[in-house]
Amino acid sequence: MANEFQGGPADSVGFELDPVILELGQLFQDAGHELSLVGGPVRDLFLGRESLDLDFTTDATPDRTVAVIKPWADTYWEIGKAFGTIGLRKAGFQIEITTYRAESYDPESRKPAVAFGTSLKDDLFRRDFTINAMALRLPGLQLVDPFGGLKDLRAGILATPGRAEDSFSDDPLRMMRAARFASQLDVRVSADVLAAMTDMAERITIISAERVRDELVKLINGARPRVGVDLLVETGLADRMLPEVSALRLEADEHHRHKDVYQHSLQVLEQAAALETGDDGAVPGPDFVLRFAALLHDIGKPSTRRFENGGAVSFRHHDVVGAKLAAKRMKTLRFDNDTIKAVARLVELHMRFYGYGDAGWTDSAVRRYVTDAGPLLERLHRLTRSDVTTRNRRKAERLAFAYDDLESRVTELQEREVLDSVRPDLDGQRIMELLGLKPSPVVGRAYKHLLELRMEHGPLDPERAEAELLAWWADQPESRAEEAGPHGDGADARPDTDDADPSREDS
């Protein structure tokens, strides 16, 4: 039966703990050691959030911890033993138990020099923020909160146990964690934390790209990503790790001839997140690819901005430029190739829809839209809709109506045709048989011609497809060279090579 902890007179929050937690606490107490649930899991208990990853701290050395948990755990590992951490799994919970620590840092290094401590209060003091510097002693369920973390949590304030400058000097990644918590937990940073983040932003450059990337993903996937991104930009942290977003704050001209691209991008991010669907929907949230593409969709504008005659402002080809900038930045942050390609492709395609409402599209254009988007189509739908931030209601309604119409046409075509993987009506093997060719670039050209016909007219029956291919072939120089015979010009027009075989169906 689960026990319930009720704080002191000032604490009206109660919660239940899983028996696994209490059982582990009893094991350590019986062995003569202290054990406390600590950090994020304690914070989440007060927020009513469930956590399957549990962090504990103890006065036991790593070797003593192994001796206590070895007979009880489903499995355990000692990968973090040098840092005082033993990991284990029990009844579906992932658990880490760390010996009290008193760390010191080399100011020029991102790696702490670990020294084991003997005091729970000292261990809590070294933690990043007061809301994470609370502990629950086990198995007696006594709340240990020496730095007012519960008070700060209720007030929605992010503060540090000691001086913010000392905390961020010890581990500069904590500055990004502050922005991430602002996004995830709907808290605001205290004045001294904000000042320290601003003054010390340059120190983020000593942190590995992988750690920065992981914090950025958590921030973007938070409940209020706009707040977190704005904090990165305001403090100058974004200048060091996401400068393309900072650059969106285009210098406002005195005549206000263009909208605020930075605030527009934040609004698009916010609107895209709101269009995510549930776990069983087309784009389950939080979806990092959609959200990050929404944030970056206009990063090509600063370098493509031009002031035209008459005072107009243009950003020609900012979609293509932005896609390249997005890919380059994500590579620097060590994102995987699939994520990079997906985000960059959405940035590249985000302007494709505009013009549909003015002139309409042929079925061919709709097919191209679907096939170019491929598996990103549902995300592209949401990104395009999110990109409408105008305050002109009539314009917003017109764009929404036009996109409703486009989606309806996409659905109708998908019901008649398989658009997700459009291919020519003849495969490479059949092309070679009909034209008497071996694998060569000519086959690739023929394949591309048939694909264009498929896009333009939809599915063709085999007889018409073959007739169209033969008609195309009659106009090709290679066909005329064959007719000229072995002594004519270009008699050897069919290279016998397998290099870059374009005749495969997956070309």
Side-chain angles (χ1 to χ4, degrees), residues 260-411:
D260 186 325
V261 180
Y262 172 63
Q263 290 299 329
H264 163 75
S265 297
L266 293 183
Q267 188 175 346
V268 174
L269 166 61
E270 198 170 50
Q271 292 178 174
L275 290 178
E276 292 168 341
T277 52
D279 292 341
D280 59 345
V283 183
D287 187 88
F288 176 79
V289 168
L290 171 62
R291 293 183 180 204
F292 206 49
L295 176 63
L296 302 186
H297 77 285
D298 274 348
I299 60 173
K301 281 191 171 180
S303 59
T304 59
R305 181 176 62 162
R306 299 291 183 271
F307 293 100
E308 308 290 351
N309 294 334
V313 180
S314 67
F315 303 95
R316 291 189 179 89
H317 307 302
H318 77 272
D319 44 355
V320 177
V321 173
K324 293 178 180 178
L325 290 174
K328 183 177 180 180
R329 177 55 50 192
M330 293 180 73
K331 288 176 183 176
T332 300
L333 290 171
R334 303 291 192 272
F335 278 92
D336 63 276
N337 288 335
D338 288 343
T339 303
I340 293 172
K341 290 178 181 177
V343 171
R345 187 61 167 160
L346 285 174
V347 172
E348 182 183 0
L349 293 175
H350 84 273
M351 292 293 294
R352 182 70 65 87
F353 158 73
Y354 292 95
Y356 176 86
D358 297 329
W361 283 357
T362 63
D363 283 353
S364 172
V366 175
R367 290 188 192 97
R368 292 179 190 281
Y369 188 76
V370 174
T371 54
D372 286 350
L376 298 172
L377 180 62
E378 289 294 340
R379 290 184 174 112
L380 182 58
H381 285 334
R382 285 155 178 76
L383 175 59
T384 303
R385 289 186 181 276
S386 301
D387 196 21
V388 179
T389 61
T390 179
R391 294 181 182 179
N392 184 321
R393 190 179 71 177
R394 291 182 63 184
K395 181 178 180 181
E397 289 176 349
R398 186 176 72 251
L399 288 170
F401 177 82
Y403 206 82
D404 286 344
D405 185 65
L406 174 58
E407 282 202 65
S408 176
R409 290 186 62 195
V410 167
T411 300

Side-chain angles (χ1 to χ4, degrees), residues 52-182:
L52 292 179
D53 294 338
L54 301 177
D55 296 327
F56 296 83
T57 188
T58 180
D59 63 343
T61 65
D63 287 334
R64 285 293 300 150
T65 294
V66 170
V68 172
I69 60 98
K70 187 175 182 179
W72 176 79
D74 294 336
T75 185
Y76 75 96
W77 51 92
E78 302 181 29
I79 297 174
K81 185 176 180 180
F83 296 95
T85 300
I86 301 298
L88 65 97
R89 190 173 293 111
K90 178 71 174 183
F93 287 99
Q94 182 116 336
I95 292 171
E96 288 191 347
I97 303 173
T98 302
T99 303
Y100 294 156
R101 297 205 313 218
E103 291 174 346
S104 60
Y105 288 76
D106 179 344
E108 302 305 318
S109 172
R110 58 179 177 261
K111 296 181 179 179
V114 177
F116 297 147
T118 58
S119 164
L120 175 58
K121 182 178 179 180
D122 290 346
D123 182 88
L124 295 176
F125 181 74
R126 73 171 182 80
R127 295 179 181 267
D128 53 4
F129 302 106
T130 60
I131 62 173
N132 295 329
M134 298 184 287
L136 197 60
R137 287 191 185 273
L138 300 171
L141 301 177
Q142 175 191 359
L143 179 65
V144 181
D145 183 16
F147 308 108
L150 185 56
K151 178 182 177 182
D152 287 346
L153 187 63
R154 287 174 171 164
I157 294 175
L158 201 64
T160 52
R163 286 180 2 112
E165 294 86 346
D166 295 337
S167 180
F168 298 156
S169 179
D170 285 348
D171 186 358
L173 190 66
R174 289 174 174 175
M175 294 185 287
M176 280 206 66
R177 284 170 61 84
R180 188 245 291 185
F181 286 132

